Amino acid sequence: GQNIDQPTEMTATEGAIVQINCTYQTSGFNGLFWYQQHAGEAPTFLSYNVLDGLEEKGRFSSFLSRSKGYSYLLLKELQMKDSASYLCAVRDRSGYSTLTFGKGTMLLVSP
Amino acid sequence: GAVVSQHPSRVICKSGTSVKIECRSLDFQATTMFWYRQFPKQSLMLMATSNEGSKATYEQGVEKDKFLINHASLTLSTLTVTSAHPEDSSFYICSARDSLRNPADTQYFGPGTRLTVL
């Protein structure tokens, strides 16, 4: 089975940097994904890590440490539109590569 | 690329009726599609994994006779909620896996279907 933990809510101000952490305990591991989900909409893919280290994509970066079962999503130069829920998801080793999602971190960006 | 559509976006139905939701991969072939359900302020819960040309694999606790899944082609999967009840009201989201073009095997999500059962 999989257990994925992330903070429920975070707040930050426009222009700031915020780090959203995710820890996982899994029976298998084949990659970690971060998705952004605005209220009432489907998740959109942000990043993917399968090896240890940092992946950078514009204002968003994601880090993975497999030995620690830990990842974080780093958002720089925050904008109001970044207010959303951020979902951490782990892929197991099953043949169909199913994803198990954390409950999501609701980020509120204020002026 | 990697666009997934869902239809309808919203549906309101009476208790006891059946509702069909379509999920299409518009610009790629998806051998595998996934169906999720999301209740308010909760995370996505995987309901079933759908493979083209074979029976779907249901997660524990999901009734396969109530949630019928058909993956008849490489671009279309359907979820039919049979004899819907108010407790089935939820946000249903499908995703499709683009294995050929994306080495990360990323799942791309449809826009979701809001089901309300009266």
Side-chain angles (χ1 to χ4, degrees):
Chain A
Q2 319 273 37
N3 186 36
I4 300 172
D5 290 311
Q6 39 180 144
T8 305
E9 291 181 347
M10 296 183 73
T11 58
T13 54
E14 207 172 5
I17 299 173
V18 70
Q19 177 174 312
I20 303 174
N21 296 323
C22 172
T23 58
Y24 61 91
Q25 298 88 39
T26 62
S27 55
F29 179 83
N30 192 21
L32 187 143
F33 295 77
W34 284 95
Y35 285 84
Q36 180 191 62
Q37 186 180 26
H38 286 98
E41 300 179 9
T44 55
F45 170 72
L46 290 179
S47 69
Y48 165 73
N49 295 72
V50 68
L51 300 176
D52 291 349
L54 188 68
E55 294 284 340
E56 297 187 76
K57 256 188 174 184
R59 294 191 299 117
F60 293 10
S61 303
S62 57
F63 171 83
L64 175 67
S65 168
R66 288 171 297 169
S67 61
K68 295 181 179 178
Y70 168 70
S71 173
Y72 68 73
L73 179 70
L74 192 71
L75 293 78
K76 303 176 184 176
E77 301 171 14
L78 281 174
Q79 302 174 10
M80 298 296 288
K81 66 178 183 179
D82 296 329
S83 292
S85 182
Y86 290 86
L87 306 174
C88 172
V90 173
R91 184 169 62 196
D92 63 21
R93 292 184 183 274
S94 73
Y96 299 139
S97 293
T98 56
L99 290 178
T100 301
F101 283 84
K103 291 187 176 180
T105 298
M106 180 60 69
L107 173 66
L108 177 61
V109 180
S110 57
Chain B
V3 177
V4 178
S5 70
Q6 259 182 264
H7 177 79
S9 58
R10 290 180 180 272
V11 59
I12 301 172
C13 68
K14 293 182 179 179
S15 185
T17 60
S18 294
V19 174
K20 180 185 282 188
I21 303 170
E22 293 187 347
C23 177
R24 293 181 185 273
S25 56
L26 298 185
D27 56 352
F28 65 100
Q29 293 184 331
T31 54
T32 305
M33 290 183 172
F34 303 87
W35 287 97
Y36 295 85
R37 182 167 52 183
Q38 186 177 34
F39 292 104
K41 297 187 178 181
Q42 298 293 316
S43 190
L44 281 76
M45 297 299 296
L46 180 65
M47 298 175 66
T49 303
S50 167
N51 285 280
E52 186 266 336
S54 64
K55 290 184 179 180
T57 302
Y58 289 81
E59 295 299 302
Q60 191 173 7
V62 178
E63 301 174 56
K64 63 180 181 181
D65 294 330
K66 180 171 181 62
F67 298 98
L68 302 179
I69 292 173
N70 187 325
H71 194 156
S73 76
L74 287 172
T75 59
L76 173 64
S77 176
T78 61
L79 168 69
T80 301
V81 182
T82 62
S83 186
H85 289 97
E87 57 265 31
D88 298 325
S89 298
S90 187
F91 192 48
Y92 292 85
I93 308 175
C94 73
S95 70
R97 198 167 60 132
D98 182 5
S99 305
L100 294 179
R101 295 189 302 177
N102 189 335
D105 210 16
T106 303
Q107 289 186 30
Y108 294 94
F109 287 83
T113 297
R114 175 74 60 191
L115 171 63
T116 302
V117 184
L118 303 176

